Amino acid sequence: MRVAFAGTPEFARVALERLHAAGFTIPLVLTQPDRPAGRGMKLQASPVKQFAMAHRMAVAQPRSLRLDGKFPDEAAAAKEAIAAAQADVMVVAAYGLILPQWVLDAPRLGCLNIHASLLPRWRGAAPIHRAIEAGDEETGVTIMQMDAGLDTGDMLLVERIRIANNDTTATLHDKLAALGARLIVEALELAACGGLQPVKQPNAGVTYAHKIDKAEAAIDWSHGAIAIERRIRAFDAFPGASSVLAGETIKLWQAQAVAQQTPTGASGHVIAVAGDSFDVQCGQGVLRVTQVQRPGGKRLAVADFLRGFDLKPGMAFEQPAAAQP
């Protein structure tokens, strides 16, 4: 089977590597254009491109696939490359471009998407973040037959996993990337013998995982400690939940919600400092913080942070402007 591939970040690279190892012929890889990254802001190839080039796969990086869009020449060149690839199927994983109908129709078996949620829950751009933020107990991967809608196609394979109490987006990403890579190989093996059985997505339970906005990183201390803890885990590794303390923007990386009978201070106030943690009053409950990061520094256990920061009970984290009365 000839498998074209479209993807960009590490989640997609894991799938491409698994497809390559399984022996599928991969005549074409589509990925996003190189982007500036790092302190020097030098152009950097996506993880998918790096793997493809290392294994001498043909790569195309159009800025758009719309023939009537802003970059029609790039779209037309991509169309020629896709036609020349003569792929039986295209696998899509976190590509980052909307596929127009002509792309969906190009391969004999259409386009199969590796989606990191249990559809129809968390359609959209950030399903891993939003599942943790919402407190979901489980998630998984859906292999989906793509159509013109936003993650609305028929489900082909689904596998569930539990979300651990200490899972972050980073740890859950790695679990789901490995799961998705395994499932797409199974799906293609079934497709080769006509064994896939499409299932329509239910109409009930549809939610949208909107793209993460950096403005969401600011912690609103009027929220409950459980909700804040979830957001800290959801925003690890990007963009990192943060709050301003004594004029510094402090990122909070590890914390645990602690039950409380009666509030002992205003929301955002530090109410206790121990050797390896400090407690912050929330709108409901207390957040016990154990790992933080100062501007320009690295992640530190609170014990190390306290050696260079004179934190005392009564000091207060600032509320984000949008949350202030």
Side-chain angles (χ1 to χ4, degrees):
M1 182 178 287
R2 295 173 63 84
V3 182
F5 188 87
T8 299
E10 178 64 15
F11 183 90
R13 187 206 63 78
V14 174
L16 179 59
E17 180 179 13
R18 187 69 177 257
L19 290 169
H20 175 72
F24 290 101
T25 299
I26 304 172
L28 178 66
V29 171
L30 297 172
T31 191
Q32 287 276 318
D34 297 358
R35 307 288 190 200
R39 291 188 176 181
M41 295 302 287
K42 295 182 180 179
L43 287 179
Q44 183 171 320
S46 71
V48 163
K49 180 182 177 180
Q50 292 177 38
F51 182 87
M53 298 298 290
H55 293 83
R56 299 181 180 180
M57 299 174 185
V59 175
Q61 296 177 271
R63 285 174 287 181
S64 172
L65 291 168
R66 290 185 53 185
L67 297 172
D68 59 350
K70 291 177 61 176
F71 308 103
D73 292 344
E74 294 182 26
K79 187 173 184 178
E80 290 183 10
I82 290 171
Q86 296 182 321
D88 296 295
V89 65
M90 179 181 289
V91 170
V92 183
Y95 177 32
L97 289 182
I98 295 174
L99 302 189
Q101 194 63 46
W102 70 261
V103 178
L104 300 176
D105 294 339
R108 176 175 60 87
L109 298 174
C111 299
L112 305 189
N113 178 244
I114 307 171
H115 188 74
S117 85
L118 302 173
L119 291 171
R121 184 150 178 82
W122 303 126
R123 294 174 178 173
I128 303 176
H129 300 77
R130 299 306 184 190
I132 293 176
E133 184 183 22
D136 289 4
E137 294 183 353
E138 65 176 5
T139 184
V141 168
T142 304
I143 305 299
M144 178 190 67
Q145 184 79 51
M146 295 182 71
D147 61 16
L150 177 62
D151 299 330
T152 56
D154 291 349
M155 300 180 293
L156 303 174
L157 287 179
V158 179
E159 188 163 325
R160 300 169 180 269
I161 63 170
R162 299 286 295 179
I163 299 178
N165 291 335
N166 62 346
D167 261 328
T168 65
T169 288
T171 62
L172 192 55
H173 166 281
D174 291 350
K175 295 176 186 179
L176 292 174
L179 174 58
R182 174 171 62 79
L183 279 188
I184 193 61
V185 170
E186 293 179 15
L188 293 180
E189 290 172 345
L190 286 170
C193 61
L196 286 177
Q197 298 181 350
V199 176
K200 295 289 183 184
Q201 292 188 37
N203 294 323
V206 175
T207 53
Y208 288 90
H210 297 287
K211 185 178 179 180
I212 302 297
D213 190 317
K214 286 185 178 181
E216 296 181 73
I219 296 172
D220 183 347
W221 295 101
S222 68
H223 293 169
I226 292 174
I228 296 173
E229 178 198 335
R230 288 172 181 166
R231 177 162 286 199
I232 289 170
R233 292 190 292 114
F235 288 4
D236 181 355
F238 175 85
S242 63
S243 191
V244 177
L245 177 67
E248 290 190 26
T249 299
I250 306 295
K251 287 191 175 182
L252 282 65
W253 292 114
Q254 289 182 9
Q256 183 179 7
V258 179
Q260 181 188 40
Q261 294 294 328
T262 305
T264 57
S267 297
H269 279 66
V270 177
I271 60 174
V273 179
D276 57 358
S277 66
F278 60 85
D279 292 353
V280 185
Q281 181 67 57
C282 303
Q284 191 172 31
V286 169
L287 190 73
R288 181 158 294 161
V289 182
T290 54
Q291 188 184 77
V292 298
Q293 182 179 11
R294 297 178 73 176
K298 60 182 180 180
R299 299 188 188 198
L300 293 174
V302 163
D304 296 323
F305 167 73
L306 292 174
R307 293 189 182 98
F309 195 104
D310 188 18
L311 182 65
K312 297 178 180 178
M315 296 177 69
F317 285 92
E318 295 180 11
Q319 280 287 75
Q324 293 178 0

